Amino acid sequence: MMNRLFGKPKHEGNALQTLDKLNETLEMLEKKEKVLLKKAGQEVEKAKEYTRAKNKRSAIQCLKRKRLYEQQVEQLGNFQLRIHDQMIMLEGAKATTETVDALRSGASAMKAMQKATNIDDVDKTMDEINEQTENMKQIQEALSTPIGAAADFDEDELEAELEELEGAELEEQLLQPTPMPSVPGRQPVRPAAPKRTAEEEELAALQAEMAL
């Protein structure tokens, strides 16, 4: 954000410019190396032609030039190695500087936040929270306190009455007959119907005749 508003720091801009310059130099050396390798190859081909033509002196001259080109190629390779080494060191230094700048920015932000947050204000806020919590607790206790006729009830008497009710219910459960367990595969035994009197027998026969 700060870089977008005010630009990059001066040291970071210099590092980027230096890296760009090193990259350009490295590309230039690589191009020269390719040209020299090509020339060395051409001298080899010329030497072969002179050898076939029995021109030994000219062939040796071609080989000498080839070696000169090869020496220059080796020198360019050393230059490239030094540039690579310089670029690695510069990139490492750039990363270190950026890390330090980030840590410094974080420390400054933390310091500003601590200044904005006064310890006395924090203590005052906590005291207010504790006070409000205590007030709410007292309000809840006041609302839960019985009033009117309910306030005159004796808790001990109510508990004793509850125990009597529980005891009576338990006694009633004990007095109830225990049901006979059912046996698998057997039908429950039905109680025998009461024997009817002679008058009831005659009445039932009369009702049967009337139904017909």
Side-chain angles (χ1 to χ4, degrees):
M1 180 67 180
M2 299 297 292
N3 290 339
R4 291 198 297 269
L5 292 176
F6 304 105
K8 295 182 178 179
K10 184 177 180 180
H11 58 78
E12 185 176 354
N14 293 336
L16 293 176
Q17 292 176 1
T18 304
L19 286 172
D20 291 340
K21 181 63 177 178
L22 290 173
N23 274 319
E24 292 176 0
T25 304
L26 188 61
E27 292 177 358
M28 180 268 296
L29 293 175
E30 290 175 350
K31 290 180 180 179
K32 284 188 175 181
E33 182 180 10
K34 291 180 180 179
V35 172
L36 292 173
L37 288 173
K38 184 177 181 181
K39 289 183 177 181
Q42 292 173 351
E43 294 297 331
V44 172
E45 295 299 326
K46 290 180 182 180
K48 290 180 180 180
E49 293 178 0
Y50 285 128
T51 301
R52 286 192 291 268
K54 305 300 181 179
N55 190 346
K56 183 178 180 181
R57 183 178 179 182
S58 296
I60 291 176
Q61 292 296 326
C62 291
L63 294 178
K64 287 181 179 179
R65 287 193 294 271
K66 178 185 77 74
R67 291 190 177 182
L68 290 175
Y69 289 141
E70 290 176 348
Q71 289 177 358
Q72 291 182 18
V73 169
E74 184 178 358
Q75 187 177 17
L76 291 177
N78 292 330
F79 290 163
Q80 293 178 48
L81 183 62
R82 291 184 180 180
I83 289 177
H84 278 297
D85 184 50
Q86 187 70 27
M87 291 175 65
I88 292 173
M89 293 179 60
L90 187 59
E91 289 174 351
K94 178 175 174 291
T96 301
T97 303
E98 291 176 350
T99 302
V100 173
D101 289 342
L103 293 174
R104 186 182 294 112
S105 299
S108 299
M110 183 67 69
K111 187 176 181 180
M113 292 172 64
Q114 290 177 352
K115 285 184 177 180
T117 306
N118 191 350
I119 186 63
D120 295 333
D121 294 338
V122 174
D123 292 338
K124 182 179 179 181
T125 301
M126 294 305 299
D127 291 339
E128 292 177 354
I129 292 175
N130 292 331
E131 183 179 357
Q132 294 299 326
T133 302
E134 186 64 27
N135 291 338
M136 182 59 65
K137 187 184 298 184
Q138 293 178 1
I139 292 173
Q140 293 175 350
E141 290 178 355
L143 292 175
S144 61
T145 302
I147 59 175
D152 298 332
F153 294 151
D154 189 347
E155 294 292 335
D156 294 336
E157 292 181 357
L158 294 175
E159 290 183 3
E161 184 177 353
L162 179 60
E163 290 179 359
E164 291 179 1
L165 291 175
E166 292 175 349
E169 184 178 359
L170 178 59
E171 184 178 356
E172 183 179 353
Q173 293 178 356
L174 292 175
L175 292 177
Q176 290 180 356
T178 304
M180 295 296 293
S182 60
V183 179
R186 291 184 58 185
Q187 296 294 331
V189 180
R190 296 182 179 178
K195 189 176 181 180
R196 293 186 294 186
T197 62
E199 295 179 354
E200 290 175 345
E201 290 289 348
E202 293 178 0
L203 179 60
L206 180 59
Q207 290 176 351
E209 291 177 0
M210 292 176 65
L212 294 175

